[in-house]
């Protein structure tokens, strides 16, 4: 059974930083593309970033230059470093497993499993 467990969310002031983690189990983590997707209160889901099994990374325009996605295949863990946070970054952040190893698209691609999310609140 695929399991994705996010952690690291919290309350942070504008301009601050957080690092989100996603612990994966139940599949060969290193072989799959992984994504982060967020949902702000009252809005639809927004794709944030993805990393292919080969290491290629992709970002939405709204986070380019501020967020960094990475993976540690030895630890079966996906990360998202959030810097220069803005109030509009407030959202539930979800880790999602891709259906394929690599997709060379600047977008979510095909996703087939989701975590429960971790809440990031940016407020002064």
């Amino acid at each position: 059974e695929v399991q994705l467990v996010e952690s690291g969310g919290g309350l942070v002031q504008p301009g601050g930083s957080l690092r989100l983690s996603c612990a994966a189990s139940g599949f060969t983590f290193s072989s799959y593309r992984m994504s982060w997707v967020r949902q702000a209160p009252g809005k639809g889901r927004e794709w944030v970033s993805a990393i292919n099994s080969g290491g290629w990374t992709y970002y939405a325009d709204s986070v380019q230059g501020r967020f960094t996605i990475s993976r540690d295949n030895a630890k079966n863990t996906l990360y998202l470093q959030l810097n220069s946070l803005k109030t509009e970054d407030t959202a539930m952040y979800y880790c999602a497993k891709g259906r394929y190893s690599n997709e060379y698209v600047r977008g979510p691609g095909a996703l087939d499993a989701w975590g429960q999310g971790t809440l990031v609140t940016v407020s002064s």
Side-chain angles (χ1 to χ4, degrees), residues 1-4 24-27 97 113 116:
E1 178 188 4
V2 172
Q3 286 196 324
L4 301 169
S25 62
F27 65 103
K97 174 187 169 292
Q116 294 301 305

Side-chain angles (χ1 to χ4, degrees), residues 54-90:
W56 287 96
T57 58
Y58 302 85
Y59 299 93
D61 286 342
S62 58
V63 307
Q64 181 79 48
R66 299 189 298 121
F67 291 8
T68 303
I69 191 171
S70 62
R71 64 193 302 162
D72 186 335
N73 291 333
K75 295 182 178 180
N76 290 344
T77 302
L78 178 71
Y79 301 101
L80 187 68
Q81 178 68 41
L82 290 66
N83 295 331
S84 303
L85 281 161
K86 306 176 181 179
T87 55
E88 53 263 42
D89 294 318
T90 294

Side-chain angles (χ1 to χ4, degrees), residues 19-33:
R19 188 174 83 153
L20 308 184
S21 300
C22 171
S25 62
F27 65 103
T28 306
F29 176 75
S30 60
S31 296
Y32 290 91
R33 189 179 203 247

Side-chain angles (χ1 to χ4, degrees), residues 5-51:
V5 180
E6 301 93 336
S7 62
L11 174 63
V12 62
Q13 292 186 341
S17 298
L18 282 175
R19 188 174 83 153
L20 308 184
S21 300
C22 171
S25 62
F27 65 103
T28 306
F29 176 75
S30 60
S31 296
Y32 290 91
R33 189 179 203 247
M34 299 295 295
S35 284
W36 288 96
V37 178
R38 68 185 180 185
Q39 186 167 19
K43 296 188 177 181
R45 286 189 173 181
E46 175 192 21
W47 172 78
V48 174
S49 182
I51 183 167

